Amino acid sequence: MDAATGLCAGCFRTIEEIARWSQMTDRDKQVVLNKLAIRRVSK
Amino acid sequence: MMSAASPGSSMVVLERGWVSSNNILLFDDNHNAILIDSGYVAHHQQTLQLVRHALAGRKLTRVINTHLHSDHCGGNAMLKRELGATITIPPGHADAVRRWDEAALGYSGCGQACERFMFDALITPGDRLTIGGREWHVLASPGHDPDSIVLWDPEHRTLISADALWEHGFGAIFAEVEGSSGFREQRAILQLIQKLQPVRVIPGHGRPFTDVEQALERASARLNALEADPERNARHVIKTLIKFYLLIVQEIRTEDLVAHFSGRRYAEIVNERFFRLPFAEFMLRMIDELVAGGALELRDEIVANRH
C-alpha cells in the first residue's frame, strides 16, 4: 500500500475496495475499474 | 444483498491477486474469526490492513493454512504478532516448520521468501472445523502440493478449494518435475470434487465461482494435456515461478533474473531433465516463451512484468 495515497501500489484500489471486491457485482467492479484508469495516469 | 441469516454472512472472501492467495474469514456469533490462508510476505502489511478492515473489531483467533506455499502462509508471522492469532497447519511439513528448513519447505528451491513462523496446532484430513453454525470437513487434496487440504461444507455445498481447483485451472504440479507422482493425485481430487457437486467454490486464487461443472471440465482437459507432455508441465512450473517473481519485483535486469534462479532446485532440475542447456540460455528460453505469451516484456537488458 502507498502510505501517501492509501492505494495498493499494484492495482490502485483502496483497502475498502479490495475488501469488498468479492461481493461486488460486475457493474460495481466496472465502476471501480474506471476510477483505477484515472488513478493510474494521475499517479 | 444477502440477509444476515444466509450462509454468506458468516464468511468474507478477500480476493487477492496471484502473488498472494485469497484470504477467507469465517466468523462465529461471538465476534471471533478464523482466517484461511494469509498471502505472500511481500504483501503482509496489506493483508493485515484488509483483515483488520474485515474484522471490524472482531477478534482473529486462528489462522489455518491449506498448505504451506509461500503465497498462502507469508502473513502468518505478522498476523500472530499483530493480532495474537494462533497458527494451524496441515501435518506434512510440521517438522520442516519447527526447524524452519527453507529447502524442505520449498522456498529456496522456488526463489521465494517467507517470514519464519511457528505453528500452534495441526489440522488433519478427517478433522471437522465448526464455526458460525457451519461444519467444515477437512479433506486431503494432494496434487498441487502433497500435503494440502481443502475444506468442504456439505450442508451449503461450499468448497474452499485452495489450489486444487480454480475457475480456470489449478496450481502447478511441482512433484512431477522432481519425478514423483502428482498428476494421479490431481486427477483424484478433481474426481472427488465432481462427486461432491459443490454449488459454490472459493478458490485460493481468482474469484469465487458457481459454474463448477465448467471449471472441472477445463481443469480436467488441462490435466490431460500436462500429463501427456511432462515437459510442458515442467516448463509451466518454471514459467510460473519466473512470472511470480516478476509480479513482485516488476522489473529486473535479465542477468539478475538469471542469477536469482541460478542454483534453484526447480530451475536446475527442469533444465537438467529436459533441456541440458547452459543455465542462462535455458532461462532466456523460458523468458522468451513468457514474452511470446504476453506475460512479460523485454526492453533492452530489462525484463518487465506485463499486466
Side-chain angles (χ1 to χ4, degrees):
Chain A
M1 302 301 290
D2 184 313
T5 62
L7 302 175
C8 171
C11 69
F12 297 96
R13 291 178 299 174
T14 64
I15 281 290
E16 166 76 22
E17 286 162 350
I18 302 170
R20 282 188 47 240
W21 190 258
S22 72
Q23 285 119 283
M24 286 185 199
T25 61
D26 285 350
R27 211 192 134 119
D28 290 344
K29 286 183 187 172
Q30 193 55 55
V31 170
V32 174
L33 288 171
N34 294 344
K35 286 186 199 161
L36 302 189
I38 297 161
R39 288 177 198 162
R40 213 181 287 268
V41 287
S42 58
K43 178 174 66 157
Chain B
M1 286 302 291
M2 291 175 200
S3 73
S6 79
S9 63
S10 61
M11 180 195 294
V12 168
V13 180
L14 298 171
E15 189 185 325
R16 310 292 293 276
W18 292 96
V19 173
S20 280
S21 67
N22 293 341
N23 320 116
I24 302 151
L25 277 157
L26 305 173
F27 295 100
D28 71 9
D29 304 327
N30 298 318
H31 308 290
N32 294 316
I34 292 176
L35 182 76
I36 311 297
D37 288 338
S38 66
Y40 189 68
V41 64
H43 293 168
H44 66 183
Q45 283 292 352
Q46 184 181 78
T47 303
L48 179 64
Q49 285 186 50
L50 281 168
V51 168
R52 274 203 173 118
H53 183 277
L55 284 170
R58 290 168 286 192
K59 180 168 174 55
L60 184 69
T61 56
R62 284 172 92 179
V63 175
I64 299 177
N65 300 117
T66 57
H67 60 300
L68 296 183
H69 286 176
S70 63
D71 55 330
H72 289 254
C73 66
N76 282 10
M78 163 76 92
L79 293 169
K80 189 168 188 170
R81 196 161 54 232
E82 295 293 326
L83 302 179
T86 63
I87 308 293
T88 299
I89 63 170
H93 282 106
D95 280 335
V97 171
R98 233 178 245 122
R99 57 179 200 274
W100 202 252
D101 181 341
E102 298 211 350
L105 290 163
Y107 307 144
S108 49
C110 290
Q112 297 172 0
C114 188
E115 188 182 350
R116 182 172 186 166
F117 63 87
M118 186 52 193
F119 64 91
D120 303 282
L122 299 174
I123 189 166
T124 305
D127 286 354
R128 305 268 169 103
L129 178 71
T130 305
I131 181 163
R134 302 179 73 158
E135 188 177 56
W136 298 86
H137 296 213
V138 180
L139 309 176
S141 94
H144 167 65
D145 177 80
D147 302 304
S148 185
I149 56 158
V150 295
L151 298 171
W152 168 238
D153 169 359
E155 191 188 343
H156 302 98
R157 313 199 71 76
T158 300
L159 181 73
I160 294 176
S161 66
D163 294 344
L165 180 68
W166 304 330
E167 190 175 18
H168 299 273
F170 47 81
I173 310 292
F174 286 86
E176 292 284 344
V177 170
E178 302 170 274
S180 330
S181 171
F183 295 137
R184 206 177 50 206
E185 289 77 1
Q186 180 62 28
R187 186 169 310 287
I189 186 69
L190 292 179
Q191 282 166 350
L192 175 66
I193 296 171
Q194 180 95 52
K195 224 163 69 185
L196 296 173
Q197 296 200 305
V199 294
R200 186 163 187 240
V201 172
I202 295 134
H205 299 269
R207 63 175 185 180
F209 55 93
T210 53
D211 195 344
V212 183
E213 199 59 38
Q214 282 276 326
L216 282 168
E217 265 173 45
R218 279 189 293 264
S220 185
R222 175 159 185 79
L223 180 58
N224 289 344
L226 293 174
E227 193 166 21
D229 187 354
E231 184 194 313
R232 180 177 161 185
N233 182 64
R235 291 201 327 264
H236 175 64
V237 165
I238 298 310
K239 288 193 284 183
T240 301
L241 294 178
I242 296 173
K243 173 69 179 180
F244 184 91
Y245 190 61
L246 260 299
L247 279 166
I248 295 161
V249 299
Q250 288 297 315
E251 55 176 55
I252 185 170
R253 288 172 42 182
T254 311
E255 61 180 293
D256 293 337
L257 181 60
V258 172
H260 176 77
F261 281 95
S262 171
R264 303 288 183 183
R265 179 172 166 74
Y266 287 105
E268 296 285 344
I269 290 176
V270 169
N271 184 33
E272 178 62 29
R273 277 188 70 192
F274 297 104
F275 294 91
R276 296 178 176 265
L277 293 168
F279 189 73
E281 213 173 299
F282 159 70
M283 282 293 293
L284 289 176
R285 206 155 143 182
M286 295 300 107
I287 294 165
D288 280 344
E289 288 188 20
L290 282 159
V291 171
L296 299 181
E297 272 173 5
L298 261 179
R299 296 185 225 121
D300 302 320
E301 295 301 303
I302 304 281
V303 184
N305 182 45
R306 202 170 153 191
H307 294 284

